[in-house]
Amino acid sequence: MIQTTEKIWHNGKFIAWGDAKVHVLTHALHYGTSVFEGIRCYATARGAAIFRLDDHIRRMFDSSKIYRMEPLGFSPAQIADACRRTVSENRLSACYIRPVAFRGYGEVGVLSLANPIEIYIACWEWGKYLGAEALKQGVDVCISSWTRIAPNTLPAMAKVAANYMNSQLMKMEATLNGYTEGIALDASGYISEGSGENIFLIDDGQIYTPPLGTSALPGITRDSVIRIAGDLGYTVKEQAIPREWLYIADELFFTGTAAEVTPIRSVDRISIGIGKRGPITERIQAEFLGIVEGRIADRHGWLTALDASRRAAA
Ligand code: PPE
């Protein structure tokens, strides 16, 4: 069960957690009309810091633009500020922040343009997404029998609720068959992404990831890892990856806000590389976790300190 907190931000005001309710005829509930983000806040030595806040808010506005959910009624700077205030209001440091904007109660029927847009921001403590041991030991995954949403059906660059019905089919199938996660192929048969993660492959010292054209979400962690890999002297090639390349790769890992950098140790019960976290994955993961947890200099300016006075003093 989710660990509740005290307050949730709604359209500019804080309300009690238990009062954040919607009518059963809310448009989003029937038709999936909801754009959202998942953002992590980390406890660092200098206080709580939110990872790539502005980039997440930018993606949320992009998602709402794609679905003609405009204007949202608040600027990106206002939503970013509301995210910071939601964490402070709940006196949390390490937590997961979930801003969501959706078409609310009004008309019933597919066309949503007249329905009001409601924005909520909640946060709560959320531990390791793929299990406590996953970051070190790696996870066992399968190729999903479900194809990822095709580019001319649902736009994958938008992070919207509807896309997660496809993700849920992948995740339920994987879980019920004893795997931690499923990876989908795109409509052309190439590797797309996990139900809630992007994927990276390492072969012969070279790092690869599927391009965004494979219906993969433009992950903020994906982008961070591409830049961290560059800092470490690697270049990441974005190219189409056939399924069998996963089986014979030296290393594989997932990236995501919730999953962070999680090694994959097997695919379809085929052991990958040394069968646990590989050396390049370990370097990238250490660098990523070092930066987000404030132990390594924030050279890209990715962290937003919650407490501005502390930031000024730092
Ligand atoms: N692909 C998908 C489909 C996806 O949902 C995520 C995030 C990613 C890639 C990675 O994107 P980013 O977080 O920007 O690096 N998945 C979120 C959902 C988790 C959930 O179960 O809810 C997340 O990691 O927050």
Side-chain angles (χ1 to χ4, degrees), residues 36-40 51 56 59 96-98 124 126 129 148 156 159 163-164 167 170-171 193-199 215-224 255-260:
F36 68 99
E37 275 304 319
I39 310 169
R40 270 199 197 268
F51 184 64
H56 279 283
R59 188 171 65 187
Y96 186 83
I97 310 166
R98 171 59 55 85
W124 65 90
W126 207 8
Y129 189 57
R148 194 71 182 133
K159 189 170 171 70
N163 294 0
Y164 288 85
S167 289
M170 293 162 61
K171 185 81 179 187
E193 60 177 350
S195 77
E197 309 86 3
N198 293 112
I199 185 169
S215 297
L217 182 76
I220 310 282
T221 321
R222 175 185 184 275
D223 179 71
S224 307
T255 62
T257 298
E260 299 172 306

Side-chain angles (χ1 to χ4, degrees), residues 193-212:
E193 60 177 350
S195 77
E197 309 86 3
N198 293 112
I199 185 169
F200 285 76
L201 178 154
I202 299 162
D203 196 14
D204 213 9
Q206 172 67 48
I207 310 176
Y208 304 87
T209 196
L212 298 181

